[in-house]
Amino acid sequence: MFDRHFEWAELTRFAALPGPRATLGVVSGRRRQGKTFLLDAVARAGGGFMFTATETTEADALRQFGEALARYRSQPTPFRFAHWDEAVTELMRIADDGEPTVAVIDEFPFLAKASPSLPSIIQRALDPAAQHTNTPVRLLLCGSALSFMGRLLSGNAPLRGRAGLELVVPTLDFRLAADFWQITDPRTALLTNAIVGGTPAYRREFTQGDTPAGPDDFDAWVTRAVLNPARPLFREARYLLAEEPELHDTALYHSVLAAIAAGNAARGGIADYLGRKSTDLAHPLSVLQDVGMITHEADAFRRNRSAYRIAEPLVTFYHAVMRPAWGDLERPGRAPAVWQRAQSTFRSKVVGPHFEQICREWARWHAVSETHGGQVTRVASGTVNDPAARTSHEVDVAVHGETGDGREALLAIGEAKWNDVMGVGHLERLRHVRALLTARGTATEATRLHCFSGAGFTDELHHLAKNDPTIQLVDLTRLYHGE
């Protein structure tokens, strides 16, 4: 088990909750994050019951559940449940020795799809009246369909207010991902993360432990492990959409993702890319957001402006690099030539935006307050208008927070350049943007200037930063190991 200490502690706490009543927990998270591994481990540790649902009919699901429960209860013949009322009632009796016992139902959305009344049946089984016949079962419902799992405990849903655990299993952040992949070179780690993100399964099940050995092996690793039609990662981005029950018209959703991967972050730009009206995209964008495939982030400086970003790096890589050359990539031996042609696209459409996102994550979660000059409350990107020049400036990293006296302030603004050695010219641009924001009352002379670079900094810029704490230089080593 790698870095799931918090999740494991919460699961084991829930599993051992004292008391005679049955209790409910809900575990969710995107696919391939290790939820099943965790739940199987907690069930095995306490001698609990685990059932993994499949996409099937209600009758077949009841048959499978009855067989699994009978095996667990050491019954000579399977249980034959006519409906889920009987099945849930029997499940609530498995802790017959009076000790808390875990019962896991994995892929719960599959069961609920075939039996929409199942959440209500479970809710009734947890009512005070039913608790008189229940045993101390610790029921854990798990699923990867984020939109469904999100609705399970919200609004007027039957199970709202019933759960004693609501655990979301996240992806690994960029630092943990480097440790998990055992990549010590920061540049190689970031390039790898730009393709596979922080999904644990992509190292073990999908590449069988094949990792880039170093900078000189990265290109070869991409062609043999990602662009190879015989490897599981090759089609994974396509399967991610196909596995989401909410996404019915996958062609439309792939087109929307392709538009975002091409650099269109606003709804209007996405609509122009697809040749559709902006109003036509409200539903697909909302659904993609609900299933966790994209994020919708407000502009740091303009409340009426926002940006859509793809949440899964592999999907961005697929649409930017793989999808345009899919015909070639399906033929073995073509990957090296395709990858050579795609280098500029990879840098501009995949690595560049991903590097900016990692810089924002570092500023929010890894940098200490002394770096920013205050306690961080939010980090975003934004656009600053320059009326005199009749243009606008993109700010890759805008750090908002609280100063030492408790006032809200714009603590820092930053620029991120993946492949450029940053110099005084980049610093002057940030100073100009700070002056524009100061004139609007948004920033002050104390607002710090952060330069993020994947290629380093000039000696002159190093000298200026050494004598001025308001100038912070963040290279790859500091991103991965510094504060």
Side-chain angles (χ1 to χ4, degrees), residues 109-169:
F110 287 151
L111 294 185
K113 180 181 178 182
S115 309
S117 64
L118 184 53
S120 296
I121 292 171
I122 294 173
Q123 176 255 320
R124 188 166 59 197
L126 296 170
D127 280 346
Q131 291 283 13
H132 295 297
T133 58
N134 288 342
T135 58
V137 172
R138 304 296 173 248
L139 177 60
L140 287 165
L141 307 179
C142 179
S144 302
L146 296 186
S147 57
F148 174 87
M149 298 303 291
R151 292 194 301 267
L152 199 59
L153 302 175
S154 65
N156 297 319
L159 294 175
R160 176 171 170 76
R162 302 284 177 175
L165 175 72
E166 297 179 44
L167 183 65
V168 178
V169 179

Side-chain angles (χ1 to χ4, degrees), residues 300-301 309 353-365 367 372 376 378-384 393-400 410-417 429-430 433 437 447-453 474 479:
F301 308 111
R309 292 189 175 91
H354 189 73
F355 179 61
E356 294 171 8
Q357 179 61 32
I358 281 183
C359 292
R360 287 188 287 270
E361 290 180 18
W362 179 86
R364 180 68 178 93
W365 304 114
H372 301 309
V376 180
R378 65 186 177 97
V379 176
S381 61
T383 305
V384 179
H393 301 278
E394 299 293 328
V395 176
D396 299 323
V397 182
V399 182
H400 292 82
L410 177 63
L411 300 178
I413 57 173
E415 183 168 4
K417 295 294 183 184
R429 177 184 175 277
L430 284 174
V433 174
L437 291 169
T447 298
R448 299 193 173 192
L449 308 176
H450 292 353
C451 295
F452 300 87
S453 175
V474 185
L479 272 179

